[in-house]
């Protein structure tokens, strides 16, 4: 790449106190964010249009990057770390003499986002800025702390667009970076972005600690209903506080103009795919439920133009869609569909299955929809099977969903099994929410 990342590859007004956790820190952060917001953004960031959400980066820039003054900065980001006019924050920060940007850190899929699931781009040097790019994927604890030390940074800035599901790994990159920064004596600044599916409520089972992995380090709900900054506050207050390294010195920069329940298409912000198989906000809407099919022998739509919106396998016919529609799940219809994946499962083979059509986004519960599809797929197709490594248990956070589906349980019985844990998580979650 020899050109700027413009169009390829933006802090809630102000920050909570360094290291602040819990409801007091959250309230301070959002109060400060709502108190700022000049009409013209500073520091090279474009002024947002009327009614447009201002991301954490836009608010950071409007404040003159004050929180980064005198710090050697490293940024954890990917192609989603953009301004309102689609410039990448690395380009903007590097060009601003008020910021001493010395390193970039790439997560799963890489800084440029070219790697498929379970991969990264490795270490490199960014041709546009000359900055070293370090690979954080599959690194945690002291190993990642050593990367931060070697990079010569004082502060880790995190700015990546999440999609609202526990098993989407960027939130655990954030968690790992917070732990590693605490070990290395570095500070962390989280620049917030919208939960693209609204985050009005949490949904689905809560992870059991015995099933912790990179698709779920700690016990949060499958659809957590939080933003990255809110999760950072929760991680620091609930999880890092009980670890030997203790909470990190944390600042969160909230958005302005975003309220809980606002979907990405209503924000006025440009969408950049956070990963190769997350092409649109509609993909994100279906993802928390449809991704459960990664744990089965059915295609989850990878290798098509609508991943996670189509599901299927060879030999499935209209009976699956009919059975799924008979559940009368709120907000969604299931249409009989046929597709041929160009890669991943069933590559080059004609698959029958279903297409999810969300007709009421407020009523739609992607986790219940995903459970309903698992239940009906198993009942209507004799070829249904779980992946032999029980990946479904990592995705759902325990073996309960798999065993209940195998026992013939219905959607309501399965959802009832996780209800108590979800209610406990909701109570904790409420203490860290920054937006109404």
């Amino acid at each position: 790449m020899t050109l700027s990342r413009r169009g390829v590859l933006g802090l809630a007004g102000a920050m909570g106190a360094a290291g602040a956790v819990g409801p007091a820190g959250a309230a301070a952060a959002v109060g400060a964010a709502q108190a700022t917001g000049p009409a013209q953004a500073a520091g090279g960031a474009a002024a947002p249009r009327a009614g447009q959400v201002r991301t954490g980066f836009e608010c950071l820039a409007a404040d003159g990057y004050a929180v980064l003054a005198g710090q050697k900065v490293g940024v954890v980001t990917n192609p989603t770390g953009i301004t309102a006019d689609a410039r990448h924050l690395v380009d903007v920060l590097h060009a601003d003499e008020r910021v001493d940007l010395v390193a970039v850190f790439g997560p799963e899929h890489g800084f440029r986002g070219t790697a498929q699931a379970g991969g990264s781009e490795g270490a490199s040097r960014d041709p546009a800025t000359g900055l070293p790019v370090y690979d954080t994927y599959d690194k945690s604890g002291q190993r990642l702390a050593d990367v931060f030390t070697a990079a010569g940074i004082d502060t880790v800035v995190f700015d990546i667009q999440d999609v609202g599901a526990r098993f989407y790994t960027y939130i655990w990159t954030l968690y790992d970076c917070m732990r590693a920064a605490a070990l290395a004596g570095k500070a962390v600044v989280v620049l917030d972005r919208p939960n693209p599916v609204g985050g009005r409520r949490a949904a689905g089972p809560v992870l059991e600690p015995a099933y912790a992995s990179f698709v779920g380090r700690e016990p949060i709900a499958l659809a957590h209903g939080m933003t990255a900054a809110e999760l950072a506050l929760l991680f620091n207050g609930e999880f890092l506080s009980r670890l030997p390294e203790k909470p990190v010195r944390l600042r969160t920069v909230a958005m302005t103009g975003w309220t809980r329940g606002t979907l990405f298409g209503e924000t006025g912000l440009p969408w950049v795919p956070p990963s190769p198989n997350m092409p649109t906000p509609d993909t994100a809407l279906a993802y928390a439920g449809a991704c459960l099919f990664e744990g089965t022998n059915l295609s989850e739509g990878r290798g098509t133009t609508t991943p996670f919106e189509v599901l299927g396998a060879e030999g499935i016919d209209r009976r699956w869609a009919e059975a799924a529609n008979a559940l009368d799940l709120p907000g969604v219809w299931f249409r009989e569909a046929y597709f041929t994946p160009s890669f991943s499962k069933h590559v080059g083979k004609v698959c029958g299955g279903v297409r999810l059509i969300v007709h009421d986004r407020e009523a739609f519960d992607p986790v219940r929809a995903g459970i309903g599809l698992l239940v009906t797929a198993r009942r209507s197709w004799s070829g249904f099977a779980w992946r032999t490594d029980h990946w479904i248990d990592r995705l759902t956070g325990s073996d309960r969903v798999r065993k209940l589906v195998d026992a013939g349980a219905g959607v309501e019985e399965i959802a009832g099994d996780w209800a108590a844990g979800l209610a406990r998580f909701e109570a904790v979650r409420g203490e860290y929410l920054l937006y109404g």
Side-chain angles (χ1 to χ4, degrees):
M1 181 177 64
T2 59
L3 301 176
S4 167
R5 284 172 295 274
R6 180 182 178 89
V8 181
L9 291 181
L11 244 336
M15 285 60 64
V21 295
V30 73
Q34 293 172 343
T36 52
Q40 183 67 35
R49 298 184 298 275
Q52 183 178 17
V53 170
R54 172 182 271 170
T55 66
F57 177 77
E58 303 293 344
C59 295
L60 173 70
D63 195 41
Y65 307 109
V67 73
L68 303 181
Q71 304 292 301
K72 291 188 180 298
V73 176
V75 176
V76 183
T77 192
N78 69 358
T80 66
I82 60 170
T83 64
D85 59 351
R87 289 175 295 157
H88 198 270
L89 76 125
V90 168
D91 295 325
V92 175
L93 292 174
H94 181 259
D96 199 302
E97 62 183 12
R98 294 170 296 180
V99 181
D100 187 8
L101 180 62
V102 301
V104 179
F105 304 99
E108 182 181 10
H109 307 294
F111 172 46
R112 297 180 183 85
T114 62
Q116 285 291 337
S120 62
E121 295 170 336
S124 64
R125 190 165 291 275
D126 177 31
T129 62
L131 292 168
V133 180
Y134 298 85
D135 184 7
T136 71
Y137 181 60
D138 201 30
K139 296 179 178 68
S140 59
Q142 190 60 53
R143 186 179 176 203
L144 183 54
D146 290 343
V147 172
F148 291 158
T149 300
I153 62 170
D154 303 308
T155 297
V156 179
V157 174
F158 180 93
D159 190 353
I160 294 178
Q161 178 64 60
D162 182 41
V163 301
R166 183 182 63 228
F167 37 62
Y168 205 60
T169 61
Y170 297 141
I171 63 171
W172 303 115
T173 294
L174 170 59
Y175 176 87
D176 288 345
C177 286
M178 291 172 65
R179 289 193 64 179
L183 285 169
K186 314 300 181 183
V188 172
V189 174
V190 179
L191 310 184
D192 215 6
R193 290 184 180 270
N195 182 318
V197 298
R200 190 181 297 279
R201 58 187 178 270
V206 173
L207 175 81
E208 294 181 5
Y211 292 84
S213 70
F214 192 44
V215 293
R217 298 278 198 220
E218 298 284 2
I220 66 173
L222 193 158
H224 50 72
M226 303 180 79
T227 67
E230 292 172 334
L231 283 166
L233 290 167
L234 184 145
F235 292 163
N236 224 25
E238 300 297 323
F239 305 135
L240 270 65
S241 60
R242 59 175 168 74
L243 296 174
E245 53 265 40
K246 300 302 181 185
V248 71
R249 288 180 289 132
L250 173 67
R251 290 178 181 250
T252 61
V253 186
M255 298 171 281
T256 59
W258 189 79
T259 56
R260 183 149 263 103
T262 301
L263 299 174
F264 195 89
E266 302 166 323
T267 65
L269 297 171
W271 176 264
V272 174
S275 57
N277 291 289
M278 195 63 61
T280 71
D282 286 340
T283 318
L285 193 64
Y287 177 75
C291 187
L292 297 176
F293 280 82
E294 280 191 359
T296 74
N297 63 337
L298 282 76
S299 167
E300 61 276 9
R302 295 181 189 274
T304 76
T305 58
T306 52
F308 305 108
E309 295 180 68
V310 292
L311 306 163
E314 288 186 279
I316 297 180
D317 59 24
R318 68 182 186 282
R319 286 173 290 183
W320 186 20
E322 291 171 352
N325 280 319
L327 297 176
D328 198 25
L329 294 170
V332 62
W333 298 316
F334 303 101
R335 184 176 70 81
E336 177 186 3
Y338 297 90
F339 57 93
T340 304
S342 61
F343 63 87
S344 195
K345 298 176 188 172
H346 307 291
V347 59
K349 298 177 181 178
V350 176
C351 297
V354 299
R355 177 179 295 275
L356 285 76
I357 300 176
V358 179
H359 61 85
D360 184 343
R361 297 184 177 201
E362 289 295 318
F364 177 58
D365 182 334
V367 183
R368 282 177 180 256
I371 296 298
L373 286 168
L374 287 174
V375 167
T376 52
R378 193 182 191 286
R379 292 174 180 174
S380 63
W381 182 47
S382 61
F384 178 91
W386 303 109
R387 269 176 48 172
T388 55
D389 60 0
H390 285 170
W391 184 243
I392 187 65
D393 297 353
R394 298 294 181 187
L395 296 174
T396 59
S398 77
D399 62 0
R400 296 289 299 161
V401 167
R402 173 174 56 84
K403 290 181 175 180
L404 284 166
V405 171
D406 284 346
V411 175
E412 294 307 314
E413 182 180 351
I414 296 171
D417 185 72
W418 71 57
L422 179 60
R424 288 191 295 270
F425 172 73
E426 282 275 28
V428 173
R429 166 183 174 270
E431 299 181 7
Y432 296 94
L433 299 182
L434 294 173
Y435 311 93

